[in-house]
Amino acid sequence: MIVALLNQKGGVGKTTLALHLAGEWARQGQRVTLIDADPQGSALDWSQQREHERLARLFGVIGLARDTLHREAPELARTANHVVIDGPPRVAGLMRSALMAADLVLIPVQPSPLDGWASAEMLALLKEARIYRPNLAARFVLNRCAARTIIARETANGLADHDPPVLGATIGQRIVFAAAAQSGQLVQELDPDGPAAREIARLAEDITSLAAGRDRHG
Ligand SMILES: Nc1ncnc2c1ncn2[C@@H]1O[C@H](COP(=O)(O)OP(=O)(O)OP(=O)(O)O)[C@@H](O)[C@H]1O
Ligand SMILES: [Mg+2]
């Protein structure tokens, strides 16, 4: 399956969640390739940092910040159980290509009630991609949930009614994610029994069951 983490908003956790999802599946013994579709190359930096620290390689990271992504990603998917795309910034061509490559789009958002969760442009591009690919699944993922109260309020306002829907698994605001980014490690390695590692495991589970559901329905 090809999972793309996309949001034209910066700093919402695309790279963080892409690395941790890829790492979670890799730690389970699955073959994973991460495509860094961001010209900034943050995921590549992370994997280089990891190499520099002589830590074991978990998954390959390939820099592919170009709009032929939709042709190259399926090739990579042939030799991997999972391909994870760390999404591009506000470049419509790259975004289109990532949307055409993905089976599942995850849109990380910070659950701020004051804010639109994704740009109108991003949602328009998703709609456009679905004309060609009606089975393209999409979910919001609530990241950096600082307080339960915010989520509770949003829930009261009908989280389930959002389009795309909101994934059940949420990720808290946790300092260990910043430590992981800097050290070329994962929260599963830095604090294996901690809440961040548990949240990532739950996120991976939710995605796996989404994929299973999809497959059952053809
Ligand atoms: N759940 C979290 N808890 C704490 N810090 C987080 C969390 N998620 C992300 N961060 C931190 O927030 C910053 C931005 O996250 P990240 O780089 O993953 O976002 P991004 O969407 O990839 O940003 P960009 O658009 O610049 O590529 C990073 O410093 C990261 O460590
Ligand atoms: Mg990033």
Side-chain angles (χ1 to χ4, degrees), residues 173-209:
Q173 165 69 34
R174 305 196 185 281
I175 204 96
V176 68
F177 281 108
Q182 278 155 27
S183 62
Q185 294 185 74
L186 298 171
V187 299
Q188 298 96 309
E189 296 168 309
L190 292 172
D191 187 13
D193 300 318
R198 264 203 309 279
E199 288 167 350
I200 292 295
R202 166 88 202 278
L203 177 64
E205 258 170 45
D206 273 16
I207 295 167
T208 307
S209 47

Side-chain angles (χ1 to χ4, degrees), residues 5-19 38 40 42 86-90 108 110 142-145 171-182 196 199:
L5 286 111
L6 303 177
N7 190 340
Q8 289 178 317
K9 291 196 179 182
V12 291
K14 295 181 290 290
T15 302
T16 302
L17 297 185
L19 289 171
D38 182 351
Q40 277 188 76
S42 318
D86 179 12
R90 297 189 69 89
Q110 243 171 292
L142 305 188
N143 184 30
R144 312 189 78 160
C145 301
I171 309 291
Q173 165 69 34
R174 305 196 185 281
I175 204 96
V176 68
F177 281 108
Q182 278 155 27
E199 288 167 350

Side-chain angles (χ1 to χ4, degrees), residues 109-114 117 141-146 150-151 154 171:
V109 292
Q110 243 171 292
S112 145
L114 298 173
W117 279 357
V141 180
L142 305 188
N143 184 30
R144 312 189 78 160
C145 301
I150 295 175
I151 306 171
E154 285 283 344
I171 309 291

Side-chain angles (χ1 to χ4, degrees), residues 4 6-7 99 104-109 116-127 130 136-142 154 158-168 210:
L6 303 177
N7 190 340
L99 282 165
L104 169 65
V105 176
L106 294 179
I107 310 168
V109 292
W117 279 357
S119 66
E121 188 189 1
M122 152 98 212
L123 295 176
L125 288 172
L126 176 62
K127 218 171 174 182
R130 279 176 157 165
L136 175 60
R139 295 289 184 276
F140 283 117
V141 180
L142 305 188
E154 285 283 344
L159 268 188
D161 298 338
H162 277 278
D163 183 29
V166 180
L167 204 64
L210 253 185

